[in-house]
Amino acid sequence: MANTDALTRPAEPPAAPDEPSRRTGRRLLGALASALAVVALWIALDLPNRPEELSGWAFARIPVELLALVVVALLLSARVRTIVAALAGVAIALLLLLKALDIGMLVGFYRTFDPLSDPAYAGAGYGVLRDSVGGVRAVFVAVAVAVVAVAAIILLPLAAVRVARAVGRHRRPAALAVVVLAAGWGVLAVVGTAVGPNLRVASAQTSTVAADHVRDVNRGIASRADFERLAATDPYAAAAPAHLLAGLTGKDVLVVFVESYGRVALEDPALAPTVTAAVDRATTRLGATGFTGRSAYLTSPTFGGLSWLAHSTLETGLPISDQVRYNAVLSSQRLTLASAFGSAGWRTVLVSPADEADISPVTRFYGYHELYDGPSLDYRGPKFGYAPVPDQFTLATIAQRELTPGPRPPLMAEIDLVSSHTPWAPLPRLLDPATLGDGSAYQSVLEQAASADAVWSDPAKVKQAYADSVAYALDSLTTFVENAHDDNLVLVVLGDHQPSAVISGEGASHDVPVSVIAKDPAVLERTTSWNWQSGLRPGRDAVVWPMDAFRDKFFTAFGAG
């Protein structure tokens, strides 16, 4: 019997003439997408986490992690392969972001990213960026960073899945390719072939970064436990504050932090001429009014920023090297310099012109009776980069309000000078103290000052701007002491940290200059055992203490026996 189905079934339309070319086009597009996926993973895995390793050669290496992904794809079933590849892509994306954060932290603070502490600085970092480059640019940068991060987290898992599926479809050529590449990787690893300093062709860069950070996190957790035990023991907790500070009875004691005033400012040939000239001017001018000083170096717990860690370290006598330790000490009953002075009868004030938010919990912990933040200084002039109030105006306002002649309790103050904060432009200049007024006079100064864009277009200009900013802070302080006419004034002047690696360079120490300045010879006589150098400029062979040693040595020197 004839097959009636064949007679009744409609004839299939003939294939379109261009269907083979369409299939070829789709195959080519698929091959191109797979190739791009490989390139994306290759770049993500080969990206170094150190700025000095960033070059085209860094991406000429064979990442062992990509070979491992292909091997896993060859061994697994289709469904499991897709799941594992997606998870591997997420891990690669997160490690890519971690390496980018490492680069940023090394450029700014000369250390890698700390997952335990550094996320807490995101808000402060954005605030510095906003104050330095303006609100619109800061928003643009923040959005761009967020877009890149989201794109990496979405696209790299898709790339890993695509590569894994391509391997599953083409198992034999994929197996042959991975064998050849793995053999080559092994030979290159044994031979040690490199394409640049620390850039071996046989790369395990991403795995090494992951292992290093896991190790650092474990060490950080152990370090936090050690810190809590250290903070729980205070040899001065039970001492009478008046006994600890007997040698300063009747003195107005000011602890003055000069932002980013680091050792490099006195020793770098590009910076020293400007900064040492300011130090020498201060020595001469203060000497003419009877003030002398002794100087050394302190090793700050931070580098390039995070000033509050240095402030807390000096106040508490504890090494506050990260935000976790900082938060822990704020919830403790640790004796601080300010609380000791306050309990011994001094009026204590914190002068922090860069703060505009409520920091009353911090003020209470340290033991300050009053806070002078940016708004309370009643400055009506323009901002200069990050600094909301020029240093000269800050100091003049405190002199007017707190160092008045006549009967009053002695003053103890921490004063933070912020005009030398990055980006070091535009920069104020000294004005005649009689013309300061409410700060409006600074508008003409701002109009004549070099902008941050103009300064940052040339690395040499950046370094000079930094040096000029430190010199301005020191000149402002000198003018303040001259005009205070306070024979009972005692100053501890120090930097909070070195400037960022843009200024300090690679391998710079954490050392900052410190000076004790007084008119009464008996004050400096009590520091004789410190072996600090005479004058306001410590030499290369000056004494170096960890900053957390200062509180206890201060109490010992100025205590009653």
Side-chain angles (χ1 to χ4, degrees):
M1 180 182 292
N3 188 342
T4 57
D5 289 344
L7 297 175
T8 57
R9 185 171 60 241
E12 294 183 1
D18 58 349
E19 184 63 25
S21 63
R22 289 181 178 176
R23 287 198 296 268
T24 301
R26 286 195 294 269
R27 284 196 296 270
L28 289 175
L29 288 176
L32 178 61
S34 298
L36 290 175
V38 171
V39 170
L41 293 171
W42 194 296
I43 291 174
L45 292 167
D46 264 352
L47 178 74
N49 73 323
R50 307 190 71 84
E52 67 270 18
E53 296 176 357
L54 282 172
S55 70
W57 289 112
F59 304 99
R61 300 175 293 167
I62 303 173
V64 70
E65 298 85 2
L66 186 56
L67 301 181
L69 176 63
V70 174
V71 170
V72 169
L74 286 169
L75 297 176
L76 298 178
S77 63
R79 182 177 180 181
V80 177
R81 177 193 307 134
T82 299
I83 295 173
V84 170
L87 294 175
V90 171
I92 293 170
L94 293 177
L95 287 167
L96 173 67
L97 298 177
L98 182 60
K99 289 191 284 186
L101 289 169
D102 279 349
I103 291 172
M105 294 300 289
L106 284 165
V107 169
F109 307 113
Y110 208 67
R111 63 175 177 82
T112 54
F113 179 75
D114 180 0
L116 290 176
S117 301
D118 288 343
Y121 304 138
Y126 177 77
V128 171
L129 180 67
R130 180 196 61 218
D131 293 336
S132 300
V133 304
V136 174
R137 289 185 180 181
V139 169
F140 177 80
V141 170
V143 170
V145 169
V147 168
V148 170
V150 171
I153 293 174
I154 293 174
L155 296 179
L156 287 175
L158 292 176
V161 169
R162 184 165 193 92
V163 169
R165 287 176 175 172
V167 168
R169 289 194 303 270
H170 308 285
R171 300 177 66 85
R172 181 169 295 179
L176 177 61
V178 79
V179 166
V180 171
L181 288 173
W185 190 95
V187 171
L188 292 169
V190 172
V191 174
T193 304
V195 291
N198 301 319
L199 292 176
R200 297 202 168 191
V201 177
S203 170
Q205 170 88 39
T206 299
S207 298
T208 301
V209 169
D212 288 345
H213 277 282
V214 169
R215 181 199 63 218
D216 291 343
V217 166
N218 289 334
R219 288 179 178 174
I221 293 172
S223 174
R224 306 301 185 268
D226 293 341
F227 175 76
E228 290 175 1
R229 288 191 291 270
L230 177 65
T233 304
D234 187 348
Y236 292 96
H243 179 87
L244 294 175
L245 301 168
L248 293 169
T249 300
K251 304 297 184 185
D252 293 316
V253 181
L254 309 183
V255 177
V256 182
F257 281 98
V258 179
E259 172 67 38
S260 300
Y261 181 27
R263 183 168 190 152
V264 67
L266 299 177
E267 297 183 354
D268 187 312
L271 308 170
T274 299
V275 178
T276 58
V279 174
D280 293 343
R281 281 195 302 272
T283 302
T284 301
R285 290 167 57 185
L286 294 181
T289 62
F291 282 85
T292 58
R294 290 181 178 173
S295 302
Y297 286 106
L298 300 179
T299 302
S300 175
T302 185
F303 183 99
L306 314 180
S307 305
W308 57 91
L309 303 182
H311 301 177
S312 183
T313 294
L314 191 87
E315 283 265 11
T316 64
L318 292 170
I320 314 295
S321 55
D322 56 54
Q323 192 67 23
V324 174
R325 291 187 173 197
Y326 181 77
N327 292 339
V329 80
L330 286 185
S331 61
S332 74
Q333 300 298 316
R334 184 77 176 184
L335 178 68
T336 68
L337 287 175
S339 62
F341 274 101
S343 298
W346 272 260
R347 169 172 164 76
T348 58
V349 301
L350 172 61
V351 184
S352 185
D355 279 311
E356 297 180 355
D358 179 20
I359 60 168
S360 54
V362 175
T363 306
R364 285 195 298 270
F365 163 73
Y366 287 123
Y368 288 108
H369 295 136
E370 185 165 350
L371 166 67
Y372 287 99
D373 58 8
S376 62
L377 290 170
D378 293 331
Y379 174 70
R380 298 293 181 262
K383 289 182 63 175
F384 287 83
Y386 171 83
V389 184
D391 292 343
Q392 184 187 12
F393 188 92
T394 297
L395 291 164
T397 301
I398 296 306
Q400 182 181 21
R401 296 186 187 180
E402 296 291 343
L403 294 177
T404 56
R408 60 173 174 81
L411 175 71
M412 183 272 171
E414 178 193 316
I415 303 176
D416 303 336
L417 301 183
V418 296
S419 291
S420 49
H421 195 290
T422 181
W424 309 301
L427 185 65
R429 58 176 172 81
L430 284 179
L431 299 179
D432 181 342
T435 66
L436 290 179
D438 64 358
S440 301
Y442 283 100
Q443 184 60 47
S444 62
V445 177
L446 178 64
E447 293 169 358
Q448 298 171 21
S451 68
D453 288 342
V455 168
W456 282 81
S457 64
D458 182 348
K461 290 181 179 179
V462 176
K463 300 194 79 169
Q464 185 58 54
Y466 162 74
D468 290 341
S469 72
V470 174
Y472 165 78
L474 297 175
D475 286 339
S476 297
L477 185 60
T478 303
T479 301
F480 159 76
V481 175
E482 289 175 328
N483 292 328
H485 305 296
D486 184 353
D487 291 346
N488 288 318
L489 199 59
V490 176
L491 300 100
V492 179
V493 181
L494 71 158
D496 49 10
H497 52 71
Q498 291 260 52
S500 67
V502 172
I503 302 296
S504 297
E506 297 179 11
S509 72
H510 282 220
D511 296 348
V512 297
V514 59
S515 300
V516 174
I517 305 169
K519 189 169 187 177
D520 184 352
V523 173
L524 295 184
E525 185 65 26
R526 282 180 169 265
T527 68
T528 300
S529 63
W530 293 358
N531 295 317
W532 286 16
Q533 295 178 345
S534 297
L536 305 185
R537 179 166 25 134
R540 290 182 178 271
D541 57 345
V543 168
V544 181
W545 293 347
M547 190 175 284
D548 55 279
F550 182 84
R551 187 206 69 160
D552 291 5
K553 290 182 181 292
F554 188 85
F555 285 152
T556 300
F558 293 103

